[in-house]
Amino acid sequence: ATYYADFDNVYILVMAGQDSTAITIDDPTTVLSPDVSTTLNRGQVTQLWHVNRLTTVTADKPVQVQWINGTQNAGYDSRGHTLVPSNLWDNEYYSPVPSYSTNSTYVNLYMYNPNLTSLTVSYQDETGSGSCSIPAGATRSYRVCAGRYVPSGSAVYLSAASNFFAVGEYETGGRDYNWGFSIIPTSSLRDEYYVAWAKGTTDLSANGSPV
C-alpha cells in the first residue's frame, strides 16, 4: 500500500576512509546489538544483510556507506544508494529526475521523518502541489503522498518545517532501468557546476551521456 516493494531486501556496505576505523552496524529488530562491530583499515569493507528499518551505521572516523535494495523474485530489480550522514539532511530538497512516459518508466520518491513527532512535507511538481503528514520515524512514498508518481518531464520540490531524508527510485518496481539516487538538499546547491565533457558516441551521432 505504501509502494515499498523496491526495499524488500536491503544490503548495507561500509568502507573505511582511514586506518583503524571502528565501525558498528546495528539493526534494532535483531537479537544481536550491534550486529556488526569491527575495526577496518583504509579501503576495507564490512557489510550486513538483510537489514530492517531504523538500522544505524556509526564510525569514529570517516566512512562511506552504500546500500543495495531490491525486490525478491523480480529478476534484476536492484538499486544502489549513498547513505547521506544525518547531519547533512535538510528541510528542503529538489529532485531533477522525471518519469518517462513513452515506456511507462516511473520515478518514485521516498521521504523519511526522523523526528519524534509527525512531520508535514509539502510537495510541488508541474501538475500541482499539496502536502502530506509523515508519522514519527516513518517513511512515505511520493506516490502515496501526491497520489501519483513523479510526472513525465517534471522536477519535484519538497519542503518541511524540520529536517528529513529523501531518496528516489527510477523505474520503481521494474528491472530494466535500475537506478537509485539521492535528491538534492538546497543547502548543497551552488550557482555554478562544472562537469567533464563526454561525447555520447565516437561519431557524435547520439547523446549517450548520463549528464
Side-chain angles (χ1 to χ4, degrees):
T2 46
Y3 297 85
Y4 293 155
D6 286 347
F7 301 91
D8 281 349
N9 299 281
V10 180
Y11 193 175
I12 291 283
L13 301 101
V14 185
M15 175 184 284
Q18 298 179 14
D19 291 343
S20 301
T21 300
I23 296 169
T24 62
I25 308 174
D26 185 41
D27 182 341
T29 67
T30 63
V31 176
L32 294 175
S33 183
D35 298 83
V36 174
S37 180
T38 186
T39 299
L40 301 180
N41 289 327
R42 180 180 178 181
Q44 292 182 321
V45 176
T46 188
Q47 66 278 320
L48 181 62
W49 164 270
H50 159 67
V51 301
N52 297 283
R53 62 185 300 269
L54 302 182
T55 294
T56 57
V57 177
T58 57
D60 64 349
K61 296 178 182 179
V63 294
Q64 67 169 356
V65 182
Q66 302 286 320
W67 84 77
I68 300 172
N69 57 273
T71 305
Q72 192 169 359
N73 301 323
Y76 296 97
D77 177 19
S78 62
R79 289 161 181 82
H81 289 274
T82 297
L83 184 58
V84 179
S86 57
N87 62 347
L88 297 179
W89 296 356
D90 205 341
N91 68 325
E92 290 184 296
Y93 292 89
Y94 287 92
S95 173
V97 182
S99 295
Y100 189 51
S101 60
T102 58
N103 64 354
S104 299
T105 300
Y106 299 113
V107 169
N108 205 356
L109 307 177
Y110 297 86
M111 298 158 284
Y112 167 65
N113 173 17
N115 300 284
L116 298 178
T117 58
S118 62
L119 181 67
T120 298
V121 175
S122 298
Y123 57 85
Q124 181 179 350
D125 59 41
E126 69 170 9
T127 64
S129 61
S131 63
C132 70
S133 179
I134 303 178
T139 298
R140 290 293 179 266
S141 71
Y142 194 75
R143 175 69 176 81
V144 167
C145 283
R148 58 184 177 270
Y149 293 108
V150 175
S152 176
S154 175
V156 175
Y157 170 67
L158 303 173
S159 64
S162 54
N163 290 356
F164 62 101
F165 182 57
V167 296
E169 300 271 295
Y170 190 75
E171 199 205 13
T172 180
R175 62 185 186 181
D176 294 326
Y177 303 95
N178 296 314
W179 181 22
F181 58 95
S182 298
I183 65 177
I184 305 169
T186 55
S187 58
S188 297
L189 292 173
R190 299 293 182 267
D191 292 333
E192 294 181 337
Y193 293 88
Y194 297 89
V195 295
W197 177 81
K199 54 190 176 183
T201 55
T202 55
D203 63 359
L204 304 181
S205 62
N207 177 21
S209 171
V211 177

